[in-house]
Amino acid sequence: GNSADLVTIFEAVGKRAAGEIDDAQLLQIEQLSCPTCGSCSGMFTANSMNCLCEALGIALPGNGTIPAVSPRRHDLARQAAAQIMALWRRGVTFRDIVTPEAIDNAMALDVAMGGSTNTVLHVLALAHEAGLAYPLARFNEVSDRVPHLAKVSPAWDGDRQWHIQDVDEAGGVSALLRELAQHPGALHLEAQTVSGQPL
């Protein structure tokens, strides 16, 4: 009856090493915590980057939080494929969308959700590939003006741990961006996205 994620597996490995559970119990915990394709259910690197792609403007709404096994994920994949072709026909490229302001938006979401620290490495690599100067100090500037809105696993909210599917049920990245938009200076709302609309 308890929710489980990658942290649960890490804890179970420790319990196995201490002899508190056996191999069969560890396997059961592993299978319940990461039961299917897709990423684990917390704000670890994969989910963090998946969510940041929405704020960055390079993924359609829902990309960050729709569970891998949901029919909605299949629908989103079809929509994304159609949108890629529409963008190609219009001549819109990655560099048209990924700007320093778009990266600011992604990092604002990262701060608001408490994403993985690995996002800094990935975003710096992304900026480099796009030919953008995005100094490390800019991360601090973004974090100074953005509130922390959600404690998603591996963080704890009192005695409760929230997971990425909880974020999805609460409206996903779009809901968090809508909340951030209420904080002046937190987002660059004019930044373009693959949807064809500004953020």
Side-chain angles (χ1 to χ4, degrees), residues 167-180:
V167 176
D168 184 62
E169 290 170 11
V173 169
S174 294
L176 287 162
L177 292 173
R178 188 169 37 254
E179 180 63 29
L180 278 179

Side-chain angles (χ1 to χ4, degrees), residues 3-48:
S3 61
D5 64 11
L6 185 62
V7 174
T8 310
I9 298 171
F10 292 158
E11 291 169 349
V13 168
K15 289 179 181 178
R16 176 64 189 104
E20 295 176 28
I21 63 173
D22 62 25
D23 287 341
Q25 290 169 308
L26 175 58
L27 179 60
Q28 181 184 29
I29 291 168
E30 288 173 345
Q31 291 172 339
L32 291 171
S33 298
C34 295
T36 65
C37 63
S39 58
C40 43
S41 62
M43 286 304 288
F44 305 103
T45 305
N47 280 333
S48 293

Side-chain angles (χ1 to χ4, degrees), residues 2-196:
N2 296 321
S3 61
D5 64 11
L6 185 62
V7 174
T8 310
I9 298 171
F10 292 158
E11 291 169 349
V13 168
K15 289 179 181 178
R16 176 64 189 104
E20 295 176 28
I21 63 173
D22 62 25
D23 287 341
Q25 290 169 308
L26 175 58
L27 179 60
Q28 181 184 29
I29 291 168
E30 288 173 345
Q31 291 172 339
L32 291 171
S33 298
C34 295
T36 65
C37 63
S39 58
C40 43
S41 62
M43 286 304 288
F44 305 103
T45 305
N47 280 333
S48 293
M49 288 306 299
N50 217 17
C51 291
L52 265 59
C53 284
E54 279 191 57
L56 186 61
I58 60 172
L60 293 175
N63 184 74
T65 61
I66 295 174
V69 295
S70 170
R72 292 170 40 227
R73 177 60 68 184
H74 297 284
D75 293 340
L76 182 66
R78 283 188 285 279
Q79 292 169 22
Q83 193 60 22
I84 287 169
M85 296 309 298
L87 292 166
W88 176 75
R89 282 191 283 282
R90 292 196 335 254
V92 177
T93 68
F94 182 80
R95 288 184 173 140
D96 293 326
I97 295 170
V98 178
T99 64
E101 292 74 24
I103 294 173
D104 286 349
N105 289 341
M107 296 317 298
L109 181 69
D110 195 36
V111 170
M113 293 185 77
S116 169
T117 55
N118 286 337
T119 58
V120 173
L121 301 173
H122 292 292
V123 168
L124 287 174
L126 183 142
H128 176 76
E129 288 298 317
L132 299 173
Y134 196 90
L136 198 55
R138 194 157 173 169
F139 290 102
N140 288 333
E141 294 168 10
V142 171
S143 68
D144 286 345
R145 66 178 183 259
V146 174
H148 182 69
L149 300 177
K151 291 186 177 181
V152 182
S153 177
W156 283 83
D157 186 11
D159 62 348
R160 171 76 198 249
Q161 195 167 38
W162 301 97
H163 293 92
I164 201 73
Q165 61 269 29
D166 297 312
V167 176
D168 184 62
E169 290 170 11
V173 169
S174 294
L176 287 162
L177 292 173
R178 188 169 37 254
E179 180 63 29
L180 278 179
Q182 306 304 311
H183 298 271
L187 295 172
H188 301 281
L189 297 173
E190 72 287 352
Q192 289 302 307
T193 71
V194 292
S195 71

